[in-house]
mmCIF file of all heavy atoms in Angstrom:
data_model
loop_
_atom_site.group_PDB
_atom_site.id
_atom_site.type_symbol
_atom_site.label_atom_id
_atom_site.label_comp_id
_atom_site.label_asym_id
_atom_site.label_seq_id
_atom_site.Cartn_x
_atom_site.Cartn_y
_atom_site.Cartn_z
ATOM 1 N N LYS A 5 -42.946 -32.145 19.529
ATOM 2 C CA LYS A 5 -41.774 -32.519 18.729
ATOM 3 C C LYS A 5 -41.014 -31.251 18.337
ATOM 4 O O LYS A 5 -41.624 -30.240 17.895
ATOM 5 C CB LYS A 5 -42.152 -33.204 17.575
ATOM 6 C CG LYS A 5 -41.127 -33.755 16.567
ATOM 7 C CD LYS A 5 -41.596 -34.562 15.437
ATOM 8 C CE LYS A 5 -40.616 -35.262 14.559
ATOM 9 N NZ LYS A 5 -41.141 -36.135 13.473
ATOM 10 N N PHE A 6 -39.738 -31.219 18.537
ATOM 11 C CA PHE A 6 -38.861 -30.054 18.203
ATOM 12 C C PHE A 6 -37.916 -30.423 17.007
ATOM 13 O O PHE A 6 -37.227 -31.413 17.091
ATOM 14 C CB PHE A 6 -38.107 -29.628 19.462
ATOM 15 C CG PHE A 6 -38.828 -29.179 20.633
ATOM 16 C CD1 PHE A 6 -39.367 -30.155 21.502
ATOM 17 C CD2 PHE A 6 -39.052 -27.816 20.824
ATOM 18 C CE1 PHE A 6 -40.167 -29.731 22.567
ATOM 19 C CE2 PHE A 6 -39.950 -27.423 21.863
ATOM 20 C CZ PHE A 6 -40.404 -28.404 22.755
ATOM 21 N N PHE A 7 -37.987 -29.412 16.062
ATOM 22 C CA PHE A 7 -36.971 -29.497 14.995
ATOM 23 C C PHE A 7 -35.833 -28.523 15.441
ATOM 24 O O PHE A 7 -36.164 -27.220 15.269
ATOM 25 C CB PHE A 7 -37.616 -29.269 13.638
ATOM 26 C CG PHE A 7 -38.546 -30.321 13.146
ATOM 27 C CD1 PHE A 7 -39.884 -30.245 13.626
ATOM 28 C CD2 PHE A 7 -38.068 -31.292 12.421
ATOM 29 C CE1 PHE A 7 -40.758 -31.284 13.223
ATOM 30 C CE2 PHE A 7 -38.950 -32.284 11.894
ATOM 31 C CZ PHE A 7 -40.196 -32.343 12.380
ATOM 32 N N ALA A 8 -34.760 -28.936 15.978
ATOM 33 C CA ALA A 8 -33.777 -28.105 16.464
ATOM 34 C C ALA A 8 -32.829 -27.599 15.308
ATOM 35 O O ALA A 8 -32.219 -28.417 14.611
ATOM 36 C CB ALA A 8 -32.880 -28.753 17.592
ATOM 37 N N SER A 9 -32.831 -26.359 15.104
ATOM 38 C CA SER A 9 -32.091 -25.776 13.854
ATOM 39 C C SER A 9 -30.601 -25.691 14.268
ATOM 40 O O SER A 9 -30.148 -24.881 15.004
ATOM 41 C CB SER A 9 -32.601 -24.489 13.555
ATOM 42 O OG SER A 9 -33.922 -24.520 13.170
ATOM 43 N N ILE A 10 -29.832 -26.699 13.817
ATOM 44 C CA ILE A 10 -28.350 -26.749 14.122
ATOM 45 C C ILE A 10 -27.717 -27.052 12.739
ATOM 46 O O ILE A 10 -27.675 -28.134 12.311
ATOM 47 C CB ILE A 10 -28.022 -27.896 15.077
ATOM 48 C CG1 ILE A 10 -28.910 -27.784 16.349
ATOM 49 C CG2 ILE A 10 -26.522 -27.816 15.436
ATOM 50 C CD1 ILE A 10 -28.689 -28.951 17.319
ATOM 51 N N ASP A 11 -27.272 -26.031 12.192
ATOM 52 C CA ASP A 11 -26.859 -26.153 10.653
ATOM 53 C C ASP A 11 -25.374 -26.283 10.595
ATOM 54 O O ASP A 11 -24.932 -26.665 9.464
ATOM 55 C CB ASP A 11 -27.326 -24.819 9.894
ATOM 56 C CG ASP A 11 -28.715 -24.538 10.187
ATOM 57 O OD1 ASP A 11 -29.584 -25.353 9.930
ATOM 58 O OD2 ASP A 11 -28.997 -23.389 10.676
ATOM 59 N N THR A 12 -24.595 -26.163 11.595
ATOM 60 C CA THR A 12 -23.093 -26.248 11.486
ATOM 61 C C THR A 12 -22.601 -26.875 12.810
ATOM 62 O O THR A 12 -23.343 -26.966 13.759
ATOM 63 C CB THR A 12 -22.435 -24.786 11.422
ATOM 64 O OG1 THR A 12 -22.609 -24.136 12.722
ATOM 65 C CG2 THR A 12 -23.091 -23.971 10.361
ATOM 66 N N SER A 13 -21.329 -27.340 12.746
ATOM 67 C CA SER A 13 -20.709 -27.828 13.946
ATOM 68 C C SER A 13 -20.416 -26.728 14.898
ATOM 69 O O SER A 13 -20.591 -25.455 14.633
ATOM 70 C CB SER A 13 -19.363 -28.520 13.538
ATOM 71 O OG SER A 13 -18.431 -27.549 13.107
ATOM 72 N N GLN A 14 -20.050 -27.156 16.149
ATOM 73 C CA GLN A 14 -19.806 -26.150 17.154
ATOM 74 C C GLN A 14 -18.712 -25.065 16.660
ATOM 75 O O GLN A 14 -18.865 -23.850 17.085
ATOM 76 C CB GLN A 14 -19.207 -26.787 18.499
ATOM 77 C CG GLN A 14 -18.827 -25.815 19.609
ATOM 78 C CD GLN A 14 -18.399 -26.617 20.772
ATOM 79 O OE1 GLN A 14 -18.264 -27.822 20.752
ATOM 80 N NE2 GLN A 14 -18.119 -25.827 21.878
ATOM 81 N N ARG A 15 -17.838 -25.466 15.814
ATOM 82 C CA ARG A 15 -16.748 -24.627 15.414
ATOM 83 C C ARG A 15 -17.258 -23.364 14.691
ATOM 84 O O ARG A 15 -16.781 -22.213 14.938
ATOM 85 C CB ARG A 15 -15.846 -25.336 14.393
ATOM 86 C CG ARG A 15 -14.690 -24.532 13.900
ATOM 87 C CD ARG A 15 -13.804 -25.391 12.973
ATOM 88 N NE ARG A 15 -12.608 -24.656 12.458
ATOM 89 C CZ ARG A 15 -11.739 -25.174 11.500
ATOM 90 N NH1 ARG A 15 -11.909 -26.450 11.198
ATOM 91 N NH2 ARG A 15 -10.811 -24.436 11.027
ATOM 92 N N TYR A 16 -18.355 -23.418 13.888
ATOM 93 C CA TYR A 16 -18.902 -22.326 13.098
ATOM 94 C C TYR A 16 -20.255 -21.846 13.544
ATOM 95 O O TYR A 16 -20.828 -20.903 13.081
ATOM 96 C CB TYR A 16 -18.982 -22.797 11.624
ATOM 97 C CG TYR A 16 -17.708 -23.085 11.039
ATOM 98 C CD1 TYR A 16 -17.200 -24.374 10.855
ATOM 99 C CD2 TYR A 16 -16.812 -21.991 10.719
ATOM 100 C CE1 TYR A 16 -16.052 -24.616 10.244
ATOM 101 C CE2 TYR A 16 -15.566 -22.293 10.100
ATOM 102 C CZ TYR A 16 -15.160 -23.623 9.966
ATOM 103 O OH TYR A 16 -13.991 -23.919 9.349
ATOM 104 N N TYR A 17 -20.826 -22.466 14.581
ATOM 105 C CA TYR A 17 -22.179 -22.282 15.013
ATOM 106 C C TYR A 17 -22.415 -20.929 15.425
ATOM 107 O O TYR A 17 -23.356 -20.138 15.051
ATOM 108 C CB TYR A 17 -22.504 -23.257 16.070
ATOM 109 C CG TYR A 17 -24.013 -23.017 16.704
ATOM 110 C CD1 TYR A 17 -25.013 -23.583 16.024
ATOM 111 C CD2 TYR A 17 -24.214 -22.277 17.914
ATOM 112 C CE1 TYR A 17 -26.321 -23.511 16.587
ATOM 113 C CE2 TYR A 17 -25.447 -22.184 18.330
ATOM 114 C CZ TYR A 17 -26.512 -22.764 17.706
ATOM 115 O OH TYR A 17 -27.778 -22.551 18.182
ATOM 116 N N GLU A 18 -21.604 -20.336 16.251
ATOM 117 C CA GLU A 18 -21.841 -18.932 16.890
ATOM 118 C C GLU A 18 -21.649 -17.796 15.860
ATOM 119 O O GLU A 18 -22.163 -16.756 15.970
ATOM 120 C CB GLU A 18 -21.020 -18.777 18.151
ATOM 121 C CG GLU A 18 -21.463 -19.628 19.266
ATOM 122 C CD GLU A 18 -20.710 -19.363 20.577
ATOM 123 O OE1 GLU A 18 -19.923 -18.412 20.632
ATOM 124 O OE2 GLU A 18 -20.954 -20.205 21.531
ATOM 125 N N PHE A 19 -20.895 -18.227 14.725
ATOM 126 C CA PHE A 19 -20.696 -17.157 13.786
ATOM 127 C C PHE A 19 -21.918 -17.228 12.817
ATOM 128 O O PHE A 19 -22.682 -16.274 12.607
ATOM 129 C CB PHE A 19 -19.429 -17.527 12.864
ATOM 130 C CG PHE A 19 -19.370 -16.594 11.717
ATOM 131 C CD1 PHE A 19 -18.688 -15.402 11.705
ATOM 132 C CD2 PHE A 19 -19.871 -16.826 10.477
ATOM 133 C CE1 PHE A 19 -18.554 -14.490 10.699
ATOM 134 C CE2 PHE A 19 -19.707 -15.995 9.369
ATOM 135 C CZ PHE A 19 -19.119 -14.799 9.520
ATOM 136 N N PHE A 20 -22.221 -18.410 12.374
ATOM 137 C CA PHE A 20 -23.410 -18.547 11.396
ATOM 138 C C PHE A 20 -24.705 -18.145 12.007
ATOM 139 O O PHE A 20 -25.517 -17.442 11.364
ATOM 140 C CB PHE A 20 -23.466 -19.952 10.861
ATOM 141 C CG PHE A 20 -24.597 -20.143 9.867
ATOM 142 C CD1 PHE A 20 -24.523 -19.584 8.595
ATOM 143 C CD2 PHE A 20 -25.683 -20.939 10.266
ATOM 144 C CE1 PHE A 20 -25.532 -19.829 7.695
ATOM 145 C CE2 PHE A 20 -26.686 -21.114 9.263
ATOM 146 C CZ PHE A 20 -26.604 -20.594 8.055
ATOM 147 N N ARG A 21 -24.931 -18.529 13.367
ATOM 148 C CA ARG A 21 -26.185 -18.152 13.927
ATOM 149 C C ARG A 21 -25.759 -17.023 14.968
ATOM 150 O O ARG A 21 -25.712 -17.164 16.149
ATOM 151 C CB ARG A 21 -26.790 -19.353 14.768
ATOM 152 C CG ARG A 21 -27.297 -20.301 13.725
ATOM 153 C CD ARG A 21 -28.278 -21.410 14.307
ATOM 154 N NE ARG A 21 -29.051 -22.051 13.245
ATOM 155 C CZ ARG A 21 -30.254 -21.732 12.939
ATOM 156 N NH1 ARG A 21 -30.877 -20.729 13.417
ATOM 157 N NH2 ARG A 21 -30.933 -22.343 11.897
ATOM 158 N N PHE A 22 -25.523 -15.900 14.311
ATOM 159 C CA PHE A 22 -24.997 -14.743 15.077
ATOM 160 C C PHE A 22 -26.001 -14.393 16.227
ATOM 161 O O PHE A 22 -27.172 -14.193 16.069
ATOM 162 C CB PHE A 22 -24.881 -13.544 14.183
ATOM 163 C CG PHE A 22 -24.398 -12.257 14.773
ATOM 164 C CD1 PHE A 22 -23.177 -12.154 15.341
ATOM 165 C CD2 PHE A 22 -25.209 -11.206 14.975
ATOM 166 C CE1 PHE A 22 -22.639 -11.032 15.918
ATOM 167 C CE2 PHE A 22 -24.791 -10.042 15.616
ATOM 168 C CZ PHE A 22 -23.516 -9.953 16.082
ATOM 169 N N GLY A 23 -25.314 -14.170 17.426
ATOM 170 C CA GLY A 23 -26.132 -13.866 18.614
ATOM 171 C C GLY A 23 -26.309 -15.112 19.539
ATOM 172 O O GLY A 23 -26.985 -15.033 20.608
ATOM 173 N N SER A 24 -25.928 -16.276 19.035
ATOM 174 C CA SER A 24 -26.228 -17.590 19.740
ATOM 175 C C SER A 24 -25.078 -17.977 20.584
ATOM 176 O O SER A 24 -23.948 -17.315 20.552
ATOM 177 C CB SER A 24 -26.370 -18.648 18.632
ATOM 178 O OG SER A 24 -25.132 -18.916 17.956
ATOM 179 N N LYS A 25 -25.318 -18.862 21.453
ATOM 180 C CA LYS A 25 -24.364 -19.507 22.372
ATOM 181 C C LYS A 25 -24.533 -21.037 22.213
ATOM 182 O O LYS A 25 -25.560 -21.626 22.459
ATOM 183 C CB LYS A 25 -24.600 -19.102 23.854
ATOM 184 C CG LYS A 25 -24.382 -17.620 24.140
ATOM 185 C CD LYS A 25 -22.919 -17.201 23.872
ATOM 186 C CE LYS A 25 -22.663 -15.710 24.114
ATOM 187 N NZ LYS A 25 -21.275 -15.272 23.801
ATOM 188 N N TRP A 26 -23.497 -21.750 21.853
ATOM 189 C CA TRP A 26 -23.433 -23.100 21.637
ATOM 190 C C TRP A 26 -23.831 -23.787 22.978
ATOM 191 O O TRP A 26 -24.605 -24.742 22.921
ATOM 192 C CB TRP A 26 -22.068 -23.604 21.212
ATOM 193 C CG TRP A 26 -21.960 -25.123 21.141
ATOM 194 C CD1 TRP A 26 -21.573 -25.992 22.021
ATOM 195 C CD2 TRP A 26 -22.467 -25.948 19.984
ATOM 196 N NE1 TRP A 26 -21.592 -27.303 21.601
ATOM 197 C CE2 TRP A 26 -22.217 -27.297 20.272
ATOM 198 C CE3 TRP A 26 -23.067 -25.621 18.717
ATOM 199 C CZ2 TRP A 26 -22.577 -28.375 19.564
ATOM 200 C CZ3 TRP A 26 -23.305 -26.763 17.958
ATOM 201 C CH2 TRP A 26 -23.036 -28.015 18.288
ATOM 202 N N ASP A 27 -23.302 -23.417 24.141
ATOM 203 C CA ASP A 27 -23.572 -24.060 25.400
ATOM 204 C C ASP A 27 -25.116 -23.979 25.679
ATOM 205 O O ASP A 27 -25.676 -24.945 26.314
ATOM 206 C CB ASP A 27 -22.873 -23.341 26.503
ATOM 207 C CG ASP A 27 -21.329 -23.672 26.408
ATOM 208 O OD1 ASP A 27 -20.945 -24.576 25.666
ATOM 209 O OD2 ASP A 27 -20.612 -22.957 27.164
ATOM 210 N N ARG A 28 -25.793 -22.943 25.219
ATOM 211 C CA ARG A 28 -27.158 -22.756 25.495
ATOM 212 C C ARG A 28 -27.995 -23.847 24.670
ATOM 213 O O ARG A 28 -28.873 -24.485 25.229
ATOM 214 C CB ARG A 28 -27.696 -21.423 25.249
ATOM 215 C CG ARG A 28 -29.209 -21.138 25.180
ATOM 216 C CD ARG A 28 -29.827 -21.501 26.539
ATOM 217 N NE ARG A 28 -29.418 -20.617 27.566
ATOM 218 C CZ ARG A 28 -29.696 -20.831 28.790
ATOM 219 N NH1 ARG A 28 -30.553 -21.825 29.198
ATOM 220 N NH2 ARG A 28 -29.349 -20.004 29.806
ATOM 221 N N VAL A 29 -27.677 -23.980 23.369
ATOM 222 C CA VAL A 29 -28.450 -24.966 22.626
ATOM 223 C C VAL A 29 -28.126 -26.361 23.075
ATOM 224 O O VAL A 29 -29.070 -27.240 23.164
ATOM 225 C CB VAL A 29 -28.140 -24.791 21.126
ATOM 226 C CG1 VAL A 29 -26.912 -25.246 20.609
ATOM 227 C CG2 VAL A 29 -29.316 -25.553 20.335
ATOM 228 N N ASP A 30 -26.994 -26.672 23.495
ATOM 229 C CA ASP A 30 -26.580 -27.945 23.958
ATOM 230 C C ASP A 30 -27.205 -28.282 25.200
ATOM 231 O O ASP A 30 -27.874 -29.415 25.372
ATOM 232 C CB ASP A 30 -25.087 -27.967 24.259
ATOM 233 C CG ASP A 30 -24.534 -29.370 24.659
ATOM 234 O OD1 ASP A 30 -24.844 -30.275 23.833
ATOM 235 O OD2 ASP A 30 -23.921 -29.373 25.811
ATOM 236 N N TYR A 31 -27.398 -27.275 26.160
ATOM 237 C CA TYR A 31 -28.121 -27.491 27.500
ATOM 238 C C TYR A 31 -29.663 -27.818 27.114
ATOM 239 O O TYR A 31 -30.285 -28.671 27.734
ATOM 240 C CB TYR A 31 -27.972 -26.179 28.300
ATOM 241 C CG TYR A 31 -28.786 -26.270 29.514
ATOM 242 C CD1 TYR A 31 -28.431 -26.939 30.700
ATOM 243 C CD2 TYR A 31 -30.102 -25.708 29.463
ATOM 244 C CE1 TYR A 31 -29.156 -26.893 31.891
ATOM 245 C CE2 TYR A 31 -30.821 -25.743 30.732
ATOM 246 C CZ TYR A 31 -30.448 -26.284 31.889
ATOM 247 O OH TYR A 31 -31.148 -26.387 32.942
ATOM 248 N N ASN A 32 -30.199 -26.952 26.197
ATOM 249 C CA ASN A 32 -31.661 -27.083 25.989
ATOM 250 C C ASN A 32 -31.967 -28.419 25.333
ATOM 251 O O ASN A 32 -33.072 -29.026 25.593
ATOM 252 C CB ASN A 32 -32.071 -25.982 25.140
ATOM 253 C CG ASN A 32 -32.288 -24.752 25.866
ATOM 254 O OD1 ASN A 32 -32.522 -24.628 27.112
ATOM 255 N ND2 ASN A 32 -32.226 -23.544 25.195
ATOM 256 N N ILE A 33 -31.135 -28.874 24.502
ATOM 257 C CA ILE A 33 -31.379 -30.284 23.870
ATOM 258 C C ILE A 33 -31.451 -31.285 24.978
ATOM 259 O O ILE A 33 -32.342 -32.192 25.037
ATOM 260 C CB ILE A 33 -30.384 -30.609 22.787
ATOM 261 C CG1 ILE A 33 -30.600 -29.826 21.523
ATOM 262 C CG2 ILE A 33 -30.364 -32.076 22.488
ATOM 263 C CD1 ILE A 33 -29.392 -29.824 20.563
ATOM 264 N N ASP A 34 -30.476 -31.288 25.883
ATOM 265 C CA ASP A 34 -30.427 -32.257 27.006
ATOM 266 C C ASP A 34 -31.777 -31.998 27.879
ATOM 267 O O ASP A 34 -32.257 -33.119 28.337
ATOM 268 C CB ASP A 34 -29.113 -31.988 27.834
ATOM 269 C CG ASP A 34 -27.976 -32.497 27.208
ATOM 270 O OD1 ASP A 34 -28.036 -33.286 26.222
ATOM 271 O OD2 ASP A 34 -26.830 -32.077 27.598
ATOM 272 N N TYR A 35 -32.045 -30.860 28.118
ATOM 273 C CA TYR A 35 -33.256 -30.535 28.890
ATOM 274 C C TYR A 35 -34.533 -31.195 28.255
ATOM 275 O O TYR A 35 -35.305 -31.917 28.967
ATOM 276 C CB TYR A 35 -33.452 -29.011 29.066
ATOM 277 C CG TYR A 35 -34.803 -28.667 29.741
ATOM 278 C CD1 TYR A 35 -34.836 -28.684 31.138
ATOM 279 C CD2 TYR A 35 -35.874 -28.261 28.997
ATOM 280 C CE1 TYR A 35 -36.020 -28.310 31.707
ATOM 281 C CE2 TYR A 35 -37.168 -28.043 29.562
ATOM 282 C CZ TYR A 35 -37.168 -27.935 31.015
ATOM 283 O OH TYR A 35 -38.389 -27.632 31.614
ATOM 284 N N LEU A 36 -34.726 -30.941 27.068
ATOM 285 C CA LEU A 36 -35.910 -31.482 26.311
ATOM 286 C C LEU A 36 -35.889 -33.090 26.257
ATOM 287 O O LEU A 36 -36.912 -33.717 26.407
ATOM 288 C CB LEU A 36 -35.994 -30.956 24.852
ATOM 289 C CG LEU A 36 -36.249 -29.418 24.771
ATOM 290 C CD1 LEU A 36 -36.150 -29.123 23.286
ATOM 291 C CD2 LEU A 36 -37.712 -29.134 25.255
ATOM 292 N N LEU A 37 -34.741 -33.702 26.077
ATOM 293 C CA LEU A 37 -34.708 -35.089 26.010
ATOM 294 C C LEU A 37 -34.878 -35.728 27.432
ATOM 295 O O LEU A 37 -35.567 -36.710 27.526
ATOM 296 C CB LEU A 37 -33.213 -35.507 25.633
ATOM 297 C CG LEU A 37 -32.873 -35.140 24.082
ATOM 298 C CD1 LEU A 37 -31.421 -35.543 23.801
ATOM 299 C CD2 LEU A 37 -33.773 -35.954 23.075
ATOM 300 N N LYS A 38 -34.492 -35.016 28.513
ATOM 301 C CA LYS A 38 -34.788 -35.452 29.786
ATOM 302 C C LYS A 38 -36.231 -35.377 30.131
ATOM 303 O O LYS A 38 -36.783 -36.201 30.804
ATOM 304 C CB LYS A 38 -33.973 -34.505 30.844
ATOM 305 C CG LYS A 38 -33.969 -35.033 32.298
ATOM 306 C CD LYS A 38 -33.124 -34.164 33.151
ATOM 307 C CE LYS A 38 -33.175 -34.646 34.539
ATOM 308 N NZ LYS A 38 -32.262 -33.812 35.455
ATOM 309 N N GLN A 39 -36.949 -34.388 29.577
ATOM 310 C CA GLN A 39 -38.427 -34.246 29.742
ATOM 311 C C GLN A 39 -39.096 -35.176 28.726
ATOM 312 O O GLN A 39 -40.424 -35.104 28.722
ATOM 313 C CB GLN A 39 -38.856 -32.837 29.463
ATOM 314 C CG GLN A 39 -38.194 -31.767 30.371
ATOM 315 C CD GLN A 39 -38.601 -31.955 31.800
ATOM 316 O OE1 GLN A 39 -39.844 -32.312 32.028
ATOM 317 N NE2 GLN A 39 -37.665 -31.752 32.721
ATOM 318 N N LYS A 40 -38.414 -35.962 28.105
ATOM 319 C CA LYS A 40 -38.993 -37.073 27.110
ATOM 320 C C LYS A 40 -39.712 -36.442 25.934
ATOM 321 O O LYS A 40 -40.596 -37.091 25.359
ATOM 322 C CB LYS A 40 -40.025 -37.954 27.884
ATOM 323 C CG LYS A 40 -39.485 -38.600 29.170
ATOM 324 C CD LYS A 40 -38.329 -39.481 28.850
ATOM 325 C CE LYS A 40 -37.713 -40.215 30.094
ATOM 326 N NZ LYS A 40 -36.575 -41.025 29.823
ATOM 327 N N TYR A 41 -39.291 -35.265 25.522
ATOM 328 C CA TYR A 41 -39.858 -34.713 24.212
ATOM 329 C C TYR A 41 -38.999 -35.219 23.155
ATOM 330 O O TYR A 41 -37.870 -35.591 23.239
ATOM 331 C CB TYR A 41 -39.762 -33.209 24.290
ATOM 332 C CG TYR A 41 -40.776 -32.567 25.313
ATOM 333 C CD1 TYR A 41 -40.303 -31.796 26.371
ATOM 334 C CD2 TYR A 41 -42.110 -32.790 25.199
ATOM 335 C CE1 TYR A 41 -41.062 -31.310 27.293
ATOM 336 C CE2 TYR A 41 -43.011 -32.191 26.122
ATOM 337 C CZ TYR A 41 -42.488 -31.423 27.160
ATOM 338 O OH TYR A 41 -43.313 -30.902 28.186
ATOM 339 N N GLU A 42 -39.600 -35.331 21.961
ATOM 340 C CA GLU A 42 -38.837 -35.676 20.754
ATOM 341 C C GLU A 42 -38.088 -34.610 20.155
ATOM 342 O O GLU A 42 -38.644 -33.397 20.006
ATOM 343 C CB GLU A 42 -39.726 -36.332 19.678
ATOM 344 C CG GLU A 42 -39.120 -36.840 18.452
ATOM 345 C CD GLU A 42 -40.042 -37.448 17.430
ATOM 346 O OE1 GLU A 42 -41.315 -37.491 17.669
ATOM 347 O OE2 GLU A 42 -39.602 -37.938 16.367
ATOM 348 N N VAL A 43 -36.763 -34.803 19.883
ATOM 349 C CA VAL A 43 -36.001 -33.643 19.194
ATOM 350 C C VAL A 43 -35.337 -34.294 17.886
ATOM 351 O O VAL A 43 -34.743 -35.344 18.025
ATOM 352 C CB VAL A 43 -34.902 -33.192 20.256
ATOM 353 C CG1 VAL A 43 -34.101 -32.060 19.618
ATOM 354 C CG2 VAL A 43 -35.433 -32.798 21.576
ATOM 355 N N VAL A 44 -35.432 -33.441 16.905
ATOM 356 C CA VAL A 44 -34.833 -33.859 15.669
ATOM 357 C C VAL A 44 -33.771 -32.778 15.359
ATOM 358 O O VAL A 44 -33.994 -31.593 15.349
ATOM 359 C CB VAL A 44 -35.891 -33.842 14.486
ATOM 360 C CG1 VAL A 44 -35.250 -34.135 13.118
ATOM 361 C CG2 VAL A 44 -36.873 -34.825 14.777
ATOM 362 N N GLY A 45 -32.592 -33.211 14.908
ATOM 363 C CA GLY A 45 -31.538 -32.352 14.574
ATOM 364 C C GLY A 45 -31.688 -31.897 13.138
ATOM 365 O O GLY A 45 -31.584 -32.692 12.130
ATOM 366 N N THR A 46 -32.051 -30.681 12.849
ATOM 367 C CA THR A 46 -32.508 -30.094 11.554
ATOM 368 C C THR A 46 -31.332 -29.343 10.951
ATOM 369 O O THR A 46 -30.991 -28.367 11.543
ATOM 370 C CB THR A 46 -33.731 -29.258 11.706
ATOM 371 O OG1 THR A 46 -34.777 -30.059 12.163
ATOM 372 C CG2 THR A 46 -34.166 -28.799 10.313
ATOM 373 N N ILE A 47 -30.781 -29.797 9.850
ATOM 374 C CA ILE A 47 -29.732 -29.094 9.199
ATOM 375 C C ILE A 47 -30.182 -28.369 7.928
ATOM 376 O O ILE A 47 -30.701 -29.040 6.965
ATOM 377 C CB ILE A 47 -28.596 -30.133 8.772
ATOM 378 C CG1 ILE A 47 -28.153 -31.010 9.947
ATOM 379 C CG2 ILE A 47 -27.417 -29.361 8.196
ATOM 380 C CD1 ILE A 47 -27.309 -32.081 9.582
ATOM 381 N N THR A 48 -30.219 -27.106 7.902
ATOM 382 C CA THR A 48 -30.416 -26.347 6.697
ATOM 383 C C THR A 48 -29.155 -26.213 5.989
ATOM 384 O O THR A 48 -28.327 -25.338 6.325
ATOM 385 C CB THR A 48 -31.114 -24.953 6.962
ATOM 386 O OG1 THR A 48 -32.379 -25.107 7.763
ATOM 387 C CG2 THR A 48 -31.433 -24.305 5.683
ATOM 388 N N VAL A 49 -28.891 -27.076 5.056
ATOM 389 C CA VAL A 49 -27.575 -27.248 4.465
ATOM 390 C C VAL A 49 -27.143 -25.996 3.629
ATOM 391 O O VAL A 49 -27.952 -25.428 2.862
ATOM 392 C CB VAL A 49 -27.553 -28.456 3.448
ATOM 393 C CG1 VAL A 49 -26.207 -28.574 2.914
ATOM 394 C CG2 VAL A 49 -27.956 -29.697 4.222
#
């Protein structure tokens, strides 16, 4: 089970999570779901 840390929308994601790429996290979520793993969207408000 994965708790995917996604605390903001795409608009602010790469700023708030400095060093990140939105396309990468989006791709990896699709990859895990395709592999039938459980993924939870975790928002640290």
Side-chain angles (χ1 to χ4, degrees):
K5 183 174 185 176
F6 294 86
F7 293 86
S9 298
I10 311 174
D11 312 303
T12 70
S13 67
Q14 181 178 1
R15 181 177 177 183
Y16 299 100
Y17 178 82
E18 291 184 8
F19 177 87
F20 179 71
R21 290 192 166 268
F22 178 69
S24 67
K25 295 294 180 186
W26 176 265
D27 289 346
R28 170 58 63 183
V29 73
D30 183 58
Y31 173 87
N32 280 338
I33 287 171
D34 287 343
Y35 173 83
L36 291 172
L37 293 174
K38 189 176 180 180
Q39 298 295 323
K40 307 300 182 184
Y41 294 119
E42 184 179 359
V43 184
V44 176
T46 302
I47 308 171
T48 303
V49 180

